[in-house]
Amino acid sequence: MDGSRRARSELSSAEIEGHLRIKSPTTIAIVSLGEVLTNFQLAQPRVSIELVMLDRSVNPVEEGFDIAIGALPTSYPGVIDEPLSAYPRVLCAAPAYLARYGEPSHPRDLVQHDFLTFATTGLSWGFESRRRLINIEIKARLSANDSQLLLRAALAGMGIARLAAHIVRPAMSSGQLVRILPDYPVPEFWIKALVPRNGAERPAVRSLIEALMAHFALSPTVAS
């Protein structure tokens, strides 16, 4: 640990104060942030927090956030990216849907199918192969900015969904959803914290970033 990092770690709770405005996607906030933010504020009683749930990428400098948490591969000038956790995604559908429309064996087969899409990720979907990234233009039967809504639609057999692995794991374990195209995996996202460079050294910001890193390093909920 270098001298500056050691000095930050040795700050007492009494020295860490201020207000933090944080942005997070809804699902990540509900699944992962309640515990870590509560524990952080118990340890840092002089820090107040405003958590705003937005299911889109934001430039924290332009929209007035001290920390913007997200999983989209977007970066901004004057903003530091702090990686927190892998965010693997899978392609899946209900057995009833596949019984009606057939199971694709290659990404090119997807053009014949209906999709349940997360609004901000667009309609051009990538798949990894041994030789190159394969991009397919898909059509959305349902587009929404909430993963739980898309999960329910997938369970109802409305189409093929591309969702975070931790969200669909219970349904896949029970057979309610089936993974599609396992030989052509979806490119992995990373959960990251976007921090304006001019505020990155604030003690409250650094302390919370370190708490988030520790939380995601220990928690398997999102990382796998």
Side-chain angles (χ1 to χ4, degrees):
M1 181 183 296
D2 60 31
S4 60
R5 180 63 63 86
R6 185 181 299 108
R8 287 195 297 266
S9 299
E10 291 173 354
L11 285 169
S12 69
S13 295
E15 293 173 300
I16 299 178
E17 59 183 2
H19 181 72
L20 295 177
R21 188 166 185 257
I22 303 166
K23 171 266 175 184
S24 173
T26 302
T27 301
I28 292 175
I30 292 172
V31 173
S32 298
L33 295 188
E35 178 184 359
V36 65
L37 293 182
T38 297
N39 290 339
F40 175 79
Q41 286 196 281
L42 288 172
Q44 310 294 352
R46 298 178 65 179
V47 177
S48 60
I49 289 177
E50 175 190 358
L51 176 63
V52 179
M53 289 182 280
L54 293 173
D55 292 304
R56 59 179 173 85
S57 180
V58 305
N59 183 333
V61 175
E62 293 181 353
E63 301 199 35
F65 290 99
D66 299 291
I67 299 172
I69 298 169
L72 295 176
T74 307
S75 297
Y76 300 98
V79 176
I80 299 170
D81 290 0
E82 297 274 12
L84 298 176
S85 172
Y87 193 76
R89 299 171 297 157
V90 297
L91 201 68
C92 59
Y97 174 86
L98 298 175
R100 290 197 305 273
Y101 299 105
E103 182 172 347
S105 59
H106 189 276
R108 62 174 170 264
D109 300 333
L110 296 173
V111 296
Q112 307 298 325
H113 287 269
D114 292 327
F115 286 85
L116 314 170
T117 69
F118 197 79
T120 56
T121 57
L123 299 178
S124 180
W125 286 12
F127 299 87
E128 295 176 349
S129 72
R130 293 181 179 179
R131 288 183 291 182
R132 62 184 178 89
L133 184 69
I134 300 171
N135 289 300
I136 301 294
E137 296 296 321
I138 57 94
K139 58 181 180 180
R141 183 179 183 189
L142 172 65
S143 179
N145 63 354
D146 180 77
S147 297
Q148 294 299 324
L149 188 152
L150 296 175
L151 173 62
R152 288 193 290 272
L155 291 169
M158 288 179 56
I160 296 173
R162 183 178 63 178
L163 293 168
H166 72 279
I167 291 174
V168 300
R169 186 180 299 109
M172 292 179 65
S173 296
S174 66
Q176 293 175 284
L177 291 176
V178 175
R179 184 174 182 180
I180 298 171
L181 299 178
D183 293 332
Y184 300 91
V186 176
E188 191 173 81
F189 277 1
W190 270 81
I191 298 176
K192 61 182 180 178
L194 284 73
V195 183
R197 190 176 300 277
N198 60 8
E201 295 305 313
R202 283 180 57 200
V205 171
R206 287 312 317 168
S207 183
L208 181 53
I209 290 295
E210 290 172 3
L212 289 168
M213 288 179 171
H215 171 78
F216 282 105
L218 294 173
S219 173
T221 304
V222 172
S224 61

